[in-house]
Amino acid sequence: MLPPLNALRAFEAAGRLQSIRRAAEELLVTPGAVSRQVQRLESYLGVRLFRRDPREIVLTAEGERYLAAVSRHLDGIREETQKLTGRKSVEILRVRAYTTFAMKWLIPRLGTFHQSNATTEVRLTTSNEMVDFERESVDGAIRLGDGNWPGVEVDRVMRNELVPLCTPSFASEHGINEVADLKQVPLLHSFVRPDDWRYWLEAAGGSDIDAYAGDKYASSTLAYQATLEGQGVMIAQKALFADDLRTGRLVQPVDFTLDRGDFTYYFIYPRNRLRSPAFRRFRAWLLEQAESGDGFSPKTAELAKA
């Protein structure tokens, strides 16, 4: 005898997303409707599938086993239905990143993901705030930090190498070749990373230079535009501006690079997102892009993480 199919769909979505609210958004119903369907399934089976905490739902051991089996069969039904009808359902991935990271690194590369994943729609948003996966409709986020975020999976994406950047004409006009030359030119800053100039100057031997003097902008994107306009020298993460350096739009006037080590960019996400084939493909693509670019090179074997 088959259990109620609507209840199975609600359970699979809630279990995969670890959220009644997110399941409701996906199924285009109310959270109350999802909760009732899950309770109906629990009554039918005679077992608890979820443990309900104040802010989250957590699969019980029985729920974990049942979800794995249900997901396998539902994925098979979807695949065979698509083969039979020729219609492919669109899977939506919600990704969050910093504005500069999105504009300078992620968006220029997204086309290659779409070419081989036509049925996956990436909805990219930007924010400097930490993501709350329990309360927000976000599958994964790019975050800058030390890699220590409890309760989520963490993949290192690239090196955080700080370098000064300016236009070739600005470097030539002001004769910038050494650290000491920076004392006579405007330094451009981002509010998001206010201490980057200090880190770089101290490491490069320029501790006598005021690391906080100069114009300050809400994001590195704005500081970048000011730099292009010849208004000063910005401090930037080299990997994000690699194309500008390759094309000669910008130059690194002082040959010193500071690697911030573990304090760098990471892709973070709840472990349950790995149940989604679309998410696994996006994660693998993201890390492959990082490996083939100017950033950190993760081990290829890690791409199959499950």
Side-chain angles (χ1 to χ4, degrees):
M1 183 181 298
L2 288 173
L5 296 184
N6 282 339
L8 276 181
R9 286 185 66 215
F11 163 69
E12 188 274 337
R16 169 168 43 85
L17 300 171
Q18 292 286 280
S19 169
I20 294 293
R21 180 185 56 78
R22 284 174 55 84
E25 291 176 355
E26 180 176 293
L27 298 174
L28 301 179
V29 298
T30 65
V34 173
S35 293
R36 288 191 293 274
Q37 289 291 351
V38 170
Q39 290 168 2
R40 182 184 179 192
L41 183 60
E42 288 178 325
S43 297
Y44 179 89
L45 298 172
V47 297
R48 289 281 300 278
L49 299 172
F50 290 106
R51 185 178 73 252
R52 292 161 177 82
D53 294 335
R55 288 190 56 191
E56 62 181 353
I57 58 171
V58 181
L59 286 162
T60 62
E62 293 83 1
E64 285 276 6
R65 290 195 296 270
Y66 197 55
L67 178 64
V70 168
S71 298
R72 188 165 58 249
H73 290 296
L74 286 179
D75 286 343
I77 292 171
R78 291 189 190 100
E79 184 177 344
E80 291 304 318
T81 300
Q82 290 171 7
K83 289 179 181 178
L84 185 64
T85 64
R87 295 194 301 268
K88 296 185 177 181
S89 60
V90 175
E91 297 178 271
I92 296 173
L93 290 181
R94 296 172 176 86
V95 179
R96 178 175 293 178
Y98 298 99
T99 300
T100 304
F101 187 97
M103 292 183 64
K104 299 296 294 178
W105 195 90
L106 185 54
I107 290 175
R109 292 166 169 79
L110 267 179
T112 63
F113 177 78
H114 293 141
Q115 286 173 7
S116 55
N117 294 275
T119 61
T120 302
E121 177 183 322
V122 178
R123 296 185 179 178
L124 179 63
T125 59
T126 62
S127 175
N128 294 332
E129 302 299 321
M130 183 60 185
V131 63
D132 184 341
F133 289 109
E134 293 301 324
R135 295 180 178 271
E136 300 179 79
S137 295
V138 179
D139 296 298
I142 299 293
R143 300 305 304 168
L144 181 66
D146 60 7
N148 183 25
W149 288 283
V152 296
E153 297 295 309
V154 178
D155 294 319
R156 185 169 175 171
V157 176
M158 62 175 59
R159 290 188 179 92
N160 180 11
E161 295 180 321
L162 297 181
V163 295
L165 298 177
C166 65
T167 62
S169 59
F170 189 91
S172 175
E173 177 184 349
H174 294 273
I176 308 172
N177 296 290
E178 300 177 355
V179 176
D181 299 329
L182 295 170
K183 186 180 293 188
Q184 310 303 324
V185 298
L187 303 183
L188 306 181
H189 310 257
S190 166
F191 283 131
V192 180
R193 302 191 321 278
D195 299 315
D196 280 2
W197 264 119
R198 177 173 63 82
Y199 294 138
W200 187 89
L201 286 168
E202 288 179 353
S207 56
D208 60 327
I209 299 175
D210 187 348
Y212 296 97
D215 293 339
K216 298 170 178 62
Y217 299 89
S219 71
S220 294
T221 303
L222 296 179
Y224 165 70
Q225 188 60 40
T227 303
L228 289 180
E229 297 295 334
Q231 295 177 17
V233 182
M234 71 180 294
I235 188 74
Q237 285 127 327
K238 187 175 183 178
L240 301 187
F241 297 90
D243 288 341
D244 294 273
L245 288 167
R246 272 194 292 267
T247 60
R249 190 180 298 116
L250 295 177
V251 295
Q252 180 180 342
V254 180
D255 187 22
F256 179 80
T257 299
L258 173 63
D259 191 335
R260 293 293 314 281
D262 289 337
F263 191 88
T264 189
Y265 285 106
Y266 297 87
F267 185 49
I268 68 171
Y269 49 91
R271 186 168 181 78
N272 65 74
R273 300 300 194 269
L274 290 168
R275 293 194 178 100
S276 164
F279 182 84
R280 291 198 301 271
R281 290 194 298 272
F282 178 81
R283 173 184 173 272
W285 169 85
L286 179 70
L287 297 183
E288 286 169 355
Q289 290 297 309
E291 184 174 18
S292 63
D294 299 281
F296 177 73
S297 298
K299 295 179 181 178
T300 304
E302 283 293 304
L303 300 181
K305 187 175 183 180

